[in-house]
Amino acid sequence: MSLARTTTALISPYVSQARSKIKSWRLGVNQRVIRTRVGDLRASLQTLRVTERSLPHTRRALRDTRMTLETAPYGSMAVALFAGLMGLKMIKPSVVLLHDLAQAVGADSTARAANYVLWQLRPEVANQPAHGWGSLVFVVVVSTPLIVPMWWLMERRMARGAIFRHRATMRALDALNLCAAAYRQPPGDRASQLRDLDWGLRAAEDAILRAHRHAGTIPRRSVRRAAARSHAALVAGALRAEALRIDAEPDNALPRLGAMLAMVAERSAEGRIGALLPEAAYRRPPPPLRLAPRCGSPRMWLWSSSPP
């Protein structure tokens, strides 16, 4: 016992020192990541001359969605690993059951595919059957128990679910940064930045239209769901209408679009998915789109409210 106490007394200071260094290193990594993300947001807001720059909820979302050791979903990783192993264990009983059911109902093609999968699992028990599409079926059957848990982990649980919850905020901030990158360039040198902005706006629009799902605050059968979807469609339309002005007056449209994206990000991070933009922002009609005549048809105009 005295040897154990002596060894523990000698090792304890080194263990405490190592833990302290690891803790300070992790704290430094967290602070550096948060400082970089908040700094990018501040620079974009300054570039676009957005008046509202505090955005406390957006800054909190940036802290919550950081990819560091503190936000790693260790429990979800264990669940995904366990689900993948159990899925692989359940392949053979499931295929045997499918094979018996297919033979009972006379589905010969399904029975042959199941028979080939069983042979792939234990090729020494019988000769290789005629497989046809059996190889593809085998790949799908074996990969599904591995892909589904990994998809759930990467899609839903990264940063302990914060990335999924704040997807509309993150997509809006990505589009905001792209908007600022395009605004920094001279008017004739924005081609690549504007193309990237278009893809960023598409991703932001998709996230806004699904904000009622990602936020996790509205049940599937709630009466609030339809109102949130209708408002999201109006917000997406307002962003698209403002994007249409980029090709006409980019120096004015880009700052306005950036201000709208900043408001969407802030209100989404706050949980106000039913008021991502004020009503005045999406009641203003967009510029008309003139379509060229086709096959002798008269010239057509598309307006949001009434024709000119």
Side-chain angles (χ1 to χ4, degrees), residues 99-120:
H99 179 267
D100 296 341
L101 290 175
Q103 283 187 336
V105 300
D108 296 335
S109 59
T110 304
R112 288 196 299 269
N115 193 25
Y116 180 79
V117 172
L118 290 174
W119 177 83
Q120 285 281 8

Side-chain angles (χ1 to χ4, degrees), residues 132-149:
W133 290 96
S135 300
L136 178 60
V137 174
F138 175 76
V139 172
V140 172
V141 168
V142 174
S143 60
T144 299
L146 299 176
I147 292 177
V148 172

Side-chain angles (χ1 to χ4, degrees), residues 18 31 61 70 72 80 89 93 130 132 145 150 174 183 194 222 257 291:
Q31 291 178 347
E70 273 70 17
K89 289 289 186 181
M150 291 304 299
D174 292 340
Y183 189 73
L194 289 178
S222 175
L257 181 60
L291 302 182

Side-chain angles (χ1 to χ4, degrees), residues 292-298:
R294 182 180 298 175
C295 299
S297 61

Side-chain angles (χ1 to χ4, degrees), residues 34-189:
I34 294 172
R35 194 183 308 116
T36 301
R37 303 184 76 181
V38 174
D40 293 341
L41 172 62
R42 187 185 302 112
S44 297
L45 295 176
Q46 290 177 354
T47 299
L48 296 172
R49 301 191 300 274
V50 178
T51 56
E52 180 58 39
R53 299 182 184 179
S54 59
L55 304 179
H57 300 282
T58 302
R59 295 171 186 266
R60 177 179 53 82
L62 288 174
R63 290 193 295 268
D64 293 342
T65 55
R66 67 187 186 275
M67 299 287 292
T68 58
L69 293 176
E70 273 70 17
T71 60
Y74 299 109
S76 300
M77 293 167 63
V79 171
L81 179 61
F82 178 76
L85 295 177
M86 290 301 297
L88 292 176
K89 289 289 186 181
M90 293 298 295
I91 286 179
K92 185 176 179 180
S94 302
V95 174
V96 170
L97 179 61
L98 178 63
H99 179 267
D100 296 341
L101 290 175
Q103 283 187 336
V105 300
D108 296 335
S109 59
T110 304
R112 288 196 299 269
N115 193 25
Y116 180 79
V117 172
L118 290 174
W119 177 83
Q120 285 281 8
L121 296 176
R122 296 187 62 188
E124 69 276 3
V125 299
N127 295 326
Q128 178 179 0
H131 51 85
W133 290 96
S135 300
L136 178 60
V137 174
F138 175 76
V139 172
V140 172
V141 168
V142 174
S143 60
T144 299
L146 299 176
I147 292 177
V148 172
M150 291 304 299
W151 173 85
W152 172 79
L153 178 64
M154 301 298 294
E155 180 73 12
R156 300 294 185 96
R157 298 303 305 163
M158 296 308 294
R160 298 178 182 175
I163 293 179
F164 183 78
R165 292 194 308 271
H166 296 298
R167 178 162 298 179
T169 299
M170 294 299 103
R171 294 294 183 268
L173 290 180
D174 292 340
L176 172 65
N177 293 330
L178 293 173
C179 191
Y183 189 73
R184 292 188 187 101
Q185 299 298 321
D189 299 331

Side-chain angles (χ1 to χ4, degrees), residues 241-257:
E242 194 61 49
L244 294 177
R245 295 184 171 88
I246 293 177
D247 297 317
E249 42 183 20
D251 291 335
N252 296 326
L254 287 173
R256 287 198 302 263
L257 181 60

